[in-house]
PDB file of all heavy atoms in Angstrom:
ATOM      1  N   ALA U  25     161.483 101.958 139.382  1.00 98.00           N
ATOM      2  CA  ALA U  25     162.584 102.569 138.627  1.00 98.00           C
ATOM      3  C   ALA U  25     163.540 103.310 139.535  1.00 98.00           C
ATOM      4  O   ALA U  25     164.726 103.374 139.228  1.00 98.00           O
ATOM      5  CB  ALA U  25     162.008 103.483 137.545  1.00 98.00           C
ATOM      6  N   ARG U  26     163.043 103.873 140.625  1.00 96.00           N
ATOM      7  CA  ARG U  26     163.977 104.606 141.502  1.00 96.00           C
ATOM      8  C   ARG U  26     164.451 103.761 142.678  1.00 96.00           C
ATOM      9  O   ARG U  26     165.095 104.280 143.599  1.00 96.00           O
ATOM     10  CB  ARG U  26     163.381 105.937 141.955  1.00 96.00           C
ATOM     11  CG  ARG U  26     162.205 105.832 142.871  1.00 96.00           C
ATOM     12  CD  ARG U  26     161.686 107.230 143.257  1.00 96.00           C
ATOM     13  NE  ARG U  26     160.275 107.141 143.586  1.00 96.00           N
ATOM     14  CZ  ARG U  26     159.811 106.713 144.760  1.00 96.00           C
ATOM     15  NH1 ARG U  26     160.628 106.361 145.708  1.00 96.00           N
ATOM     16  NH2 ARG U  26     158.508 106.673 144.960  1.00 96.00           N
ATOM     17  N   SER U  27     164.166 102.462 142.657  1.00 95.00           N
ATOM     18  CA  SER U  27     164.635 101.584 143.732  1.00 95.00           C
ATOM     19  C   SER U  27     166.116 101.234 143.477  1.00 95.00           C
ATOM     20  O   SER U  27     166.635 101.439 142.366  1.00 95.00           O
ATOM     21  CB  SER U  27     163.788 100.313 143.823  1.00 95.00           C
ATOM     22  OG  SER U  27     164.019  99.522 142.682  1.00 95.00           O
ATOM     23  N   ALA U  28     166.762 100.674 144.488  1.00 93.00           N
ATOM     24  CA  ALA U  28     168.189 100.335 144.367  1.00 93.00           C
ATOM     25  C   ALA U  28     168.401  99.242 143.307  1.00 93.00           C
ATOM     26  O   ALA U  28     169.417  99.253 142.607  1.00 93.00           O
ATOM     27  CB  ALA U  28     168.724  99.864 145.711  1.00 93.00           C
ATOM     28  N   HIS U  29     167.450  98.323 143.183  1.00 93.00           N
ATOM     29  CA  HIS U  29     167.603  97.211 142.232  1.00 93.00           C
ATOM     30  C   HIS U  29     166.317  97.084 141.413  1.00 93.00           C
ATOM     31  O   HIS U  29     165.472  96.218 141.686  1.00 93.00           O
ATOM     32  CB  HIS U  29     167.888  95.911 142.971  1.00 93.00           C
ATOM     33  CG  HIS U  29     169.108  95.982 143.817  1.00 93.00           C
ATOM     34  ND1 HIS U  29     170.380  95.996 143.286  1.00 93.00           N
ATOM     35  CD2 HIS U  29     169.262  96.082 145.185  1.00 93.00           C
ATOM     36  CE1 HIS U  29     171.260  96.103 144.274  1.00 93.00           C
ATOM     37  NE2 HIS U  29     170.603  96.156 145.429  1.00 93.00           N
ATOM     38  N   PRO U  30     166.141  97.934 140.393  1.00 97.00           N
ATOM     39  CA  PRO U  30     164.884  97.908 139.639  1.00 97.00           C
ATOM     40  C   PRO U  30     164.688  96.550 138.951  1.00 97.00           C
ATOM     41  O   PRO U  30     165.621  95.937 138.446  1.00 97.00           O
ATOM     42  CB  PRO U  30     165.085  99.021 138.585  1.00 97.00           C
ATOM     43  CG  PRO U  30     166.194  99.839 139.087  1.00 97.00           C
ATOM     44  CD  PRO U  30     167.069  98.949 139.920  1.00 97.00           C
ATOM     45  N   VAL U  31     163.428  96.149 138.925  1.00 97.00           N
ATOM     46  CA  VAL U  31     163.063  94.904 138.247  1.00 97.00           C
ATOM     47  C   VAL U  31     162.736  95.199 136.773  1.00 97.00           C
ATOM     48  O   VAL U  31     163.183  94.482 135.879  1.00 97.00           O
ATOM     49  CB  VAL U  31     161.834  94.253 138.950  1.00 97.00           C
ATOM     50  CG1 VAL U  31     161.349  93.032 138.182  1.00 97.00           C
ATOM     51  CG2 VAL U  31     162.198  93.899 140.389  1.00 97.00           C
ATOM     52  N   LEU U  32     161.966  96.227 136.541  1.00 98.00           N
ATOM     53  CA  LEU U  32     161.628  96.610 135.161  1.00 98.00           C
ATOM     54  C   LEU U  32     162.490  97.794 134.707  1.00 98.00           C
ATOM     55  O   LEU U  32     162.935  97.807 133.566  1.00 98.00           O
ATOM     56  CB  LEU U  32     160.144  96.986 135.098  1.00 98.00           C
ATOM     57  CG  LEU U  32     159.617  97.446 133.732  1.00 98.00           C
ATOM     58  CD1 LEU U  32     159.617  96.251 132.753  1.00 98.00           C
ATOM     59  CD2 LEU U  32     158.198  98.025 133.842  1.00 98.00           C
ATOM     60  N   GLY U  33     162.669  98.766 135.587  1.00 98.00           N
ATOM     61  CA  GLY U  33     163.480  99.932 135.241  1.00 98.00           C
ATOM     62  C   GLY U  33     162.846 100.772 134.131  1.00 98.00           C
ATOM     63  O   GLY U  33     163.521 101.132 133.159  1.00 98.00           O
ATOM     64  N   ASP U  34     161.563 101.082 134.306  1.00 98.00           N
ATOM     65  CA  ASP U  34     160.848 101.887 133.304  1.00 98.00           C
ATOM     66  C   ASP U  34     161.338 103.331 133.377  1.00 98.00           C
ATOM     67  O   ASP U  34     161.007 104.072 134.308  1.00 98.00           O
ATOM     68  CB  ASP U  34     159.350 101.810 133.606  1.00 98.00           C
ATOM     69  CG  ASP U  34     158.493 102.571 132.607  1.00 98.00           C
ATOM     70  OD1 ASP U  34     159.054 103.406 131.850  1.00 98.00           O
ATOM     71  OD2 ASP U  34     157.290 102.332 132.583  1.00 98.00           O
ATOM     72  N   ARG U  35     162.130 103.752 132.367  1.00 97.00           N
ATOM     73  CA  ARG U  35     162.746 105.080 132.453  1.00 97.00           C
ATOM     74  C   ARG U  35     161.785 106.209 132.094  1.00 97.00           C
ATOM     75  O   ARG U  35     162.143 107.387 132.159  1.00 97.00           O
ATOM     76  CB  ARG U  35     164.020 105.152 131.608  1.00 97.00           C
ATOM     77  CG  ARG U  35     163.795 104.931 130.149  1.00 97.00           C
ATOM     78  CD  ARG U  35     165.108 104.660 129.411  1.00 97.00           C
ATOM     79  NE  ARG U  35     164.875 104.294 128.057  1.00 97.00           N
ATOM     80  CZ  ARG U  35     164.757 105.133 127.055  1.00 97.00           C
ATOM     81  NH1 ARG U  35     164.873 106.425 127.272  1.00 97.00           N
ATOM     82  NH2 ARG U  35     164.519 104.709 125.830  1.00 97.00           N
ATOM     83  N   PHE U  36     160.562 105.869 131.723  1.00 98.00           N
ATOM     84  CA  PHE U  36     159.585 106.895 131.364  1.00 98.00           C
ATOM     85  C   PHE U  36     158.596 107.180 132.512  1.00 98.00           C
ATOM     86  O   PHE U  36     157.927 108.195 132.535  1.00 98.00           O
ATOM     87  CB  PHE U  36     158.759 106.447 130.151  1.00 98.00           C
ATOM     88  CG  PHE U  36     159.612 106.162 128.940  1.00 98.00           C
ATOM     89  CD1 PHE U  36     160.069 104.876 128.687  1.00 98.00           C
ATOM     90  CD2 PHE U  36     159.981 107.183 128.079  1.00 98.00           C
ATOM     91  CE1 PHE U  36     160.883 104.607 127.572  1.00 98.00           C
ATOM     92  CE2 PHE U  36     160.790 106.939 126.997  1.00 98.00           C
ATOM     93  CZ  PHE U  36     161.245 105.650 126.734  1.00 98.00           C
ATOM     94  N   ALA U  37     158.523 106.241 133.469  1.00 98.00           N
ATOM     95  CA  ALA U  37     157.431 106.310 134.443  1.00 98.00           C
ATOM     96  C   ALA U  37     157.452 107.601 135.287  1.00 98.00           C
ATOM     97  O   ALA U  37     156.404 108.209 135.516  1.00 98.00           O
ATOM     98  CB  ALA U  37     157.495 105.072 135.349  1.00 98.00           C
ATOM     99  N   ALA U  38     158.648 108.022 135.734  1.00 97.00           N
ATOM    100  CA  ALA U  38     158.700 109.173 136.633  1.00 97.00           C
ATOM    101  C   ALA U  38     158.185 110.436 135.921  1.00 97.00           C
ATOM    102  O   ALA U  38     157.360 111.174 136.479  1.00 97.00           O
ATOM    103  CB  ALA U  38     160.149 109.392 137.100  1.00 97.00           C
ATOM    104  N   GLU U  39     158.636 110.644 134.695  1.00 97.00           N
ATOM    105  CA  GLU U  39     158.230 111.850 133.972  1.00 97.00           C
ATOM    106  C   GLU U  39     156.726 111.823 133.681  1.00 97.00           C
ATOM    107  O   GLU U  39     156.040 112.848 133.835  1.00 97.00           O
ATOM    108  CB  GLU U  39     159.024 111.935 132.675  1.00 97.00           C
ATOM    109  CG  GLU U  39     158.868 113.261 131.982  1.00 97.00           C
ATOM    110  CD  GLU U  39     159.560 113.300 130.619  1.00 97.00           C
ATOM    111  OE1 GLU U  39     160.555 112.585 130.434  1.00 97.00           O
ATOM    112  OE2 GLU U  39     159.047 114.035 129.753  1.00 97.00           O
ATOM    113  N   VAL U  40     156.221 110.655 133.313  1.00 97.00           N
ATOM    114  CA  VAL U  40     154.793 110.578 132.968  1.00 97.00           C
ATOM    115  C   VAL U  40     153.949 110.745 134.231  1.00 97.00           C
ATOM    116  O   VAL U  40     152.967 111.497 134.215  1.00 97.00           O
ATOM    117  CB  VAL U  40     154.493 109.238 132.244  1.00 97.00           C
ATOM    118  CG1 VAL U  40     153.000 109.040 132.069  1.00 97.00           C
ATOM    119  CG2 VAL U  40     155.185 109.206 130.887  1.00 97.00           C
ATOM    120  N   LEU U  41     154.369 110.097 135.331  1.00 96.00           N
ATOM    121  CA  LEU U  41     153.592 110.252 136.566  1.00 96.00           C
ATOM    122  C   LEU U  41     153.564 111.728 137.002  1.00 96.00           C
ATOM    123  O   LEU U  41     152.530 112.218 137.451  1.00 96.00           O
ATOM    124  CB  LEU U  41     154.219 109.374 137.664  1.00 96.00           C
ATOM    125  CG  LEU U  41     153.450 109.355 139.008  1.00 96.00           C
ATOM    126  CD1 LEU U  41     152.055 108.743 138.829  1.00 96.00           C
ATOM    127  CD2 LEU U  41     154.217 108.574 140.071  1.00 96.00           C
ATOM    128  N   ALA U  42     154.692 112.409 136.844  1.00 95.00           N
ATOM    129  CA  ALA U  42     154.750 113.812 137.248  1.00 95.00           C
ATOM    130  C   ALA U  42     153.820 114.675 136.389  1.00 95.00           C
ATOM    131  O   ALA U  42     153.417 115.762 136.808  1.00 95.00           O
ATOM    132  CB  ALA U  42     156.198 114.322 137.131  1.00 95.00           C
ATOM    133  N   ARG U  43     153.481 114.190 135.189  1.00 95.00           N
ATOM    134  CA  ARG U  43     152.634 114.979 134.307  1.00 95.00           C
ATOM    135  C   ARG U  43     151.127 114.765 134.567  1.00 95.00           C
ATOM    136  O   ARG U  43     150.302 115.390 133.914  1.00 95.00           O
ATOM    137  CB  ARG U  43     152.944 114.645 132.841  1.00 95.00           C
ATOM    138  CG  ARG U  43     154.381 115.047 132.470  1.00 95.00           C
ATOM    139  CD  ARG U  43     154.647 114.876 131.016  1.00 95.00           C
ATOM    140  NE  ARG U  43     153.876 115.844 130.229  1.00 95.00           N
ATOM    141  CZ  ARG U  43     153.942 115.946 128.916  1.00 95.00           C
ATOM    142  NH1 ARG U  43     154.753 115.140 128.256  1.00 95.00           N
ATOM    143  NH2 ARG U  43     153.224 116.830 128.270  1.00 95.00           N
ATOM    144  N   VAL U  44     150.832 113.859 135.508  1.00 95.00           N
ATOM    145  CA  VAL U  44     149.417 113.556 135.801  1.00 95.00           C
ATOM    146  C   VAL U  44     149.122 113.929 137.233  1.00 95.00           C
ATOM    147  O   VAL U  44     149.830 113.525 138.156  1.00 95.00           O
ATOM    148  CB  VAL U  44     149.133 112.042 135.593  1.00 95.00           C
ATOM    149  CG1 VAL U  44     147.689 111.738 135.886  1.00 95.00           C
ATOM    150  CG2 VAL U  44     149.503 111.617 134.172  1.00 95.00           C
ATOM    151  N   ASP U  45     148.059 114.703 137.418  1.00 91.00           N
ATOM    152  CA  ASP U  45     147.629 115.065 138.747  1.00 91.00           C
ATOM    153  C   ASP U  45     147.196 113.793 139.499  1.00 91.00           C
ATOM    154  O   ASP U  45     146.355 113.046 138.997  1.00 91.00           O
ATOM    155  CB  ASP U  45     146.433 115.997 138.576  1.00 91.00           C
ATOM    156  CG  ASP U  45     146.092 116.710 139.867  1.00 91.00           C
ATOM    157  OD1 ASP U  45     146.977 116.784 140.722  1.00 91.00           O
ATOM    158  OD2 ASP U  45     144.938 117.131 140.001  1.00 91.00           O
ATOM    159  N   HIS U  46     147.838 113.503 140.641  1.00 91.00           N
ATOM    160  CA  HIS U  46     147.458 112.271 141.350  1.00 91.00           C
ATOM    161  C   HIS U  46     147.710 112.450 142.834  1.00 91.00           C
ATOM    162  O   HIS U  46     148.338 113.417 143.255  1.00 91.00           O
ATOM    163  CB  HIS U  46     148.313 111.092 140.829  1.00 91.00           C
ATOM    164  CG  HIS U  46     149.785 111.240 141.109  1.00 91.00           C
ATOM    165  ND1 HIS U  46     150.615 112.025 140.312  1.00 91.00           N
ATOM    166  CD2 HIS U  46     150.576 110.735 142.065  1.00 91.00           C
ATOM    167  CE1 HIS U  46     151.837 111.960 140.784  1.00 91.00           C
ATOM    168  NE2 HIS U  46     151.859 111.195 141.872  1.00 91.00           N
ATOM    169  N   ASP U  47     147.148 111.543 143.608  1.00 88.00           N
ATOM    170  CA  ASP U  47     147.263 111.612 145.061  1.00 88.00           C
ATOM    171  C   ASP U  47     148.223 110.508 145.529  1.00 88.00           C
ATOM    172  O   ASP U  47     147.817 109.344 145.658  1.00 88.00           O
ATOM    173  CB  ASP U  47     145.841 111.412 145.668  1.00 88.00           C
ATOM    174  CG  ASP U  47     145.887 111.310 147.164  1.00 88.00           C
ATOM    175  OD1 ASP U  47     146.984 111.452 147.756  1.00 88.00           O
ATOM    176  OD2 ASP U  47     144.812 111.057 147.762  1.00 88.00           O
ATOM    177  N   PRO U  48     149.499 110.844 145.793  1.00 89.00           N
ATOM    178  CA  PRO U  48     150.464 109.825 146.158  1.00 89.00           C
ATOM    179  C   PRO U  48     150.051 109.059 147.417  1.00 89.00           C
ATOM    180  O   PRO U  48     150.293 107.864 147.546  1.00 89.00           O
ATOM    181  CB  PRO U  48     151.768 110.595 146.397  1.00 89.00           C
ATOM    182  CG  PRO U  48     151.566 111.933 145.810  1.00 89.00           C
ATOM    183  CD  PRO U  48     150.095 112.190 145.789  1.00 89.00           C
TER     184      PRO U  48
END
Side-chain angles (χ1 to χ4, degrees):
R26 67 180 154 80
S27 69
H29 303 287
V31 174
L32 179 68
D34 181 345
R35 62 195 173 87
F36 302 93
E39 190 186 331
V40 172
L41 184 64
R43 296 187 68 178
V44 180
D45 193 22
H46 64 280
D47 173 4

